[in-house]
Amino acid sequence: YRRVFPSPEHFTVNKSRFWFSDTLHFGRFWFSEPLSADRPRSPAQVGALRFHTVGGDPSEGEITYLGGLYVSNYAEPQNPLVIGRENSIYLEFDDNPRLDYPRKILHGVGISSARSVVPVAGGLFHNHRSKYYIFDGQRANWVSQKLGTPFEDSLAIYASAFLLNNNIYTNVPK
């Protein structure tokens, strides 16, 4: 018996757990048991992994981003895990993912590339196809009309952004 373990595509640590999406299954993400000081911290040594599959619709695309989001527009501020797919965004609110599945927050607007994600006050700046949005945990607000010239949808996976001196800079190769 030989166990085949998928290689991680996107990964993060959130809510004291290691999370990653795999390269074999587009909608699947894995999570570990809670990490603590007496448990190994290397992703290669994390054990007891389980997985969830988010969204059964292949049109949502693959998982393109995993990361935390500070959401202050709820009665109690929260720090959910963001699971971005090409055409949808899910949030995992619970500290124990075995008890709660991620909730689909957006359909039709997703995250085209992890390189385009920049945490900003009030949400995540990100790219979806040829437009930029700020996702605040409930909705995506279109902001690219303020940024200048749009680009072709086919280049969206190559878009990148970064924050420097409180300014967001974007780059799309030609």
Side-chain angles (χ1 to χ4, degrees):
Y1 173 75
R2 181 176 168 209
R3 183 174 182 171
V4 177
F5 195 72
S7 48
E9 179 75 18
H10 303 284
F11 55 90
T12 190
V13 174
N14 183 282
K15 299 178 186 279
S16 299
R17 293 177 188 271
F18 177 69
W19 307 79
F20 73 92
S21 63
D22 77 52
T23 54
L24 301 175
H25 307 93
F26 284 164
R28 182 177 290 177
F29 72 95
W30 297 78
F31 56 92
S32 71
E33 291 298 317
L35 304 172
S36 64
D38 61 329
R39 290 188 184 226
R41 298 219 178 241
S42 165
Q45 296 174 330
V46 172
L49 291 171
R50 307 214 186 305
F51 68 87
H52 278 314
T53 301
V54 290
D57 186 359
S59 70
E60 291 183 36
E62 65 181 282
I63 292 176
T64 55
Y65 178 77
L66 288 172
L69 170 67
Y70 177 73
V71 181
S72 60
N73 54 0
Y74 287 92
E76 251 182 65
Q78 301 180 33
N79 184 23
L81 174 73
V82 176
I83 302 132
R85 294 186 70 172
E86 292 174 73
N87 294 305
S88 59
I89 296 177
Y90 292 78
L91 293 180
E92 171 64 65
F93 287 95
D94 204 313
D95 288 343
N96 188 348
R98 284 192 257 166
L99 301 177
D100 186 29
Y101 279 89
R103 294 180 220 156
K104 185 188 289 190
I105 305 298
L106 292 177
H107 182 74
V109 174
I111 297 174
S112 295
S113 165
R115 292 183 302 263
S116 75
V117 177
V118 177
V120 295
L124 290 178
F125 176 87
H126 68 93
N127 160 261
H128 171 71
R129 297 198 178 128
S130 62
K131 297 177 181 160
Y132 285 97
Y133 295 85
I134 292 181
F135 174 61
D136 67 2
Q138 295 179 342
R139 64 185 104 11
N141 300 304
W142 181 41
V143 295
S144 56
Q145 75 274 21
K146 300 172 187 174
L147 298 177
T149 311
F151 51 90
E152 294 178 32
D153 283 357
S154 62
L155 297 175
I157 62 169
Y158 303 110
S160 60
F162 63 94
L163 186 66
L164 178 66
N165 296 331
N166 291 324
N167 293 307
I168 295 175
Y169 296 89
T170 60
N171 179 42
V172 180
K174 302 218 181 233

